[in-house]
C-alpha cells in the first residue's frame, strides 16, 4: 500500500530535550516536505526537499532541522524544543514538480512541549 | 510569501443546501489544489486545476479556477452530512504548495 508513515503519532516532551520525528514514504517520490498546522494559522511549510541531499527552508524553519540521506526518509529534528513548537506536524511527499501532483500526507504527529 | 485567503472560515448549513467556498490571492499560481481533511488525519486531495477558467466536477462538487489563475471556488450541491470537514485550497509554485487557512464546514442533518 502506498503510504507516508510518521512516528511517533503523539509526543509529550519538555523544553530543551532534543527529539526527532521520522517520516518515510514507499512511493519513490523525489519531493518531501514538512508542515505544521496550528488553529487559525493553517498549514505552514517548515522545510522541503527536492531530492537526496537537497533541502530548503520553507516559511517557518526557525528551530527545526531536517536531513535527506535516503530518498524514502525525511526526519524532522528539534534540537531544543520550546513550547511555541507545540503543534500538529505533517510530512508529505509527491513526484516532481510538486505543484503538478497530489501531495500524499502522513497521519500527523501531535507534539506537546511543556 | 504568496498568500491564499479562504472564505468563509466557518460554515454550518443544513443537509440539502448548496454552498460555495472561495480561495483568493493576489499572486498567480501554476496550479490550484483542493484538499479535504478529517479530524486526526492528513489532508487528502480532491482535485487539481491548472488552466485559467478550468471547471472540474467531482459528483456534487464543482471546482473552478479563475481566468487569471489567482482564485478558485468550490461549490457543493445538495450538501450531505458526509461532506463535513476542513476544506483547504493550495496554490502550486516551484517550491511546493502554499495553503490557505481552510474552511471548516459542518453539515447538519
Amino acid at each position: 500500500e502506498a503510504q507516508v508513515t510518521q512516528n511517533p503519532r503523539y509526543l509529550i516532551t519538555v523544553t530543551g530535550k532534543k527529539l526527532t520525528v521520522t517520516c518515510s514514504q514507499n512511493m519513490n517520490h523525489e519531493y518531501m516536505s514538512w508542515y505544521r498546522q496550528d488553529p487559525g494559522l493553517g498549514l505552514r511549510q517548515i522545510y522541503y526537499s527536492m531530492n537526496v541531499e537537497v533541502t530548503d527552508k520553507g516559511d517557518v524553519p526557525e528551530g527545526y532541522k531536517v536531513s535527506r540521506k535516503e530518498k524514502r526518509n525525511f526526519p524532522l529534528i528539534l534540537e531544543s524544543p520550546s513550547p511555541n513548537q507545540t503543534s500538529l506536524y505533517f510530512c508529505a511527499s509527491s513526484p516532481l514538480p510538486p505543484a503538478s501532483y497530489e501531495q500524499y500526507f502522513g497521519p500527523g504527529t501531535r507534539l506537546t512541549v511543556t | 510569501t504568496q498568500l491564499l485567503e479562504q472564505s468563509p472560515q466557518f460554515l454550518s448549513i443544513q443537509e440539502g443546501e448548496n454552498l460555495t467556498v472561495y480561495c483568493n490571492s493576489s499572486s498567480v499560481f501554476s496550479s490550484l489544489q483542493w484538499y479535504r481533511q478529517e479530524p486526526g488525519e492528513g489532508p487528502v486531495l480532491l482535485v487539481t486545476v491548472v488552466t485559467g477558467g478550468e471547471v472540474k466536477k467531482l459528483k456534487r462538487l464543482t471546482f473552478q479556477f479563475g481566468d487569471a489563475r489567482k482564485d478558485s471556488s468550490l461549490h457543493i450541491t445538495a450538501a450531505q452530512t458526509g461532506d463535513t470537514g476542513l476544506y483547504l485550497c493550495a496554490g502550486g509554485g516551484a517550491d511546493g504548495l502554499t495553503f490557505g487557512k481552510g474552511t471548516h464546514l459542518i453539515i447538519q442533518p
Side-chain angles (χ1 to χ4, degrees):
Chain A
E1 180 192 355
Q3 60 182 354
V4 177
T5 56
Q6 293 179 229
N7 283 293
R9 292 290 313 276
Y10 303 91
L11 180 59
I12 301 175
T13 189
V14 296
T15 299
K17 186 176 181 183
K18 181 179 178 180
L19 67 93
T20 299
V21 183
T22 65
C23 172
S24 183
Q25 51 96 1
N26 63 1
M27 295 166 279
N28 202 36
H29 288 164
E30 293 86 1
Y31 183 85
M32 296 186 75
S33 181
W34 275 102
Y35 298 86
R36 60 178 290 174
Q37 188 173 36
D38 302 287
L41 297 176
L43 271 167
R44 295 178 292 167
Q45 191 181 53
I46 303 170
Y47 269 94
Y48 64 94
S49 169
M50 293 286 192
N51 216 324
V52 176
E53 302 293 358
V54 180
T55 62
D56 270 298
K57 296 178 181 179
D59 295 320
V60 288
E62 294 76 24
Y64 304 94
K65 284 174 58 177
V66 292
S67 69
R68 187 92 182 272
K69 294 190 172 71
E70 305 164 286
K71 198 172 188 179
R72 63 184 294 128
N73 297 323
F74 191 44
L76 179 69
I77 303 153
L78 284 71
E79 295 266 2
S80 183
S82 62
N84 64 12
Q85 293 178 298
T86 292
S87 187
L88 179 59
Y89 291 86
F90 288 101
C91 179
S93 74
S94 76
L96 287 172
S100 299
Y101 292 94
E102 174 179 2
Q103 295 290 302
Y104 288 84
F105 283 83
T109 295
R110 187 167 291 281
L111 172 65
T112 302
V113 184
T114 61
Chain B
T1 302
Q2 298 173 308
L3 293 175
L4 275 167
E5 301 283 343
Q6 277 189 248
S7 61
Q9 270 191 294
F10 299 93
L11 183 58
S12 179
I13 63 171
Q14 296 293 125
E15 195 169 28
E17 294 183 6
N18 302 330
L19 67 106
T20 302
V21 175
Y22 299 94
C23 178
N24 296 300
S25 176
S26 57
S27 304
V28 176
F29 292 99
S30 60
S31 68
L32 203 295
Q33 297 183 350
W34 284 90
Y35 289 79
R36 179 162 167 251
Q37 184 179 14
E38 307 234 23
E41 298 179 11
V44 176
L45 181 71
L46 294 173
V47 78
T48 300
V49 284
V50 295
T51 305
E54 183 176 1
V55 177
K56 278 192 175 178
K57 292 194 174 185
L58 192 68
K59 297 183 182 177
R60 295 175 293 100
L61 279 59
T62 302
F63 304 86
Q64 185 160 8
F65 201 12
D67 290 340
R69 291 187 288 130
K70 292 182 179 181
D71 54 87
S72 181
S73 63
L74 157 60
H75 182 80
I76 300 179
T77 303
Q80 299 177 355
T81 55
D83 295 328
T84 292
L86 175 65
Y87 289 81
L88 298 160
C89 67
D95 299 335
L97 300 179
T98 298
F99 280 86
K101 293 179 182 179
T103 294
H104 292 267
L105 177 62
I106 297 173
I107 309 300
Q108 299 183 25

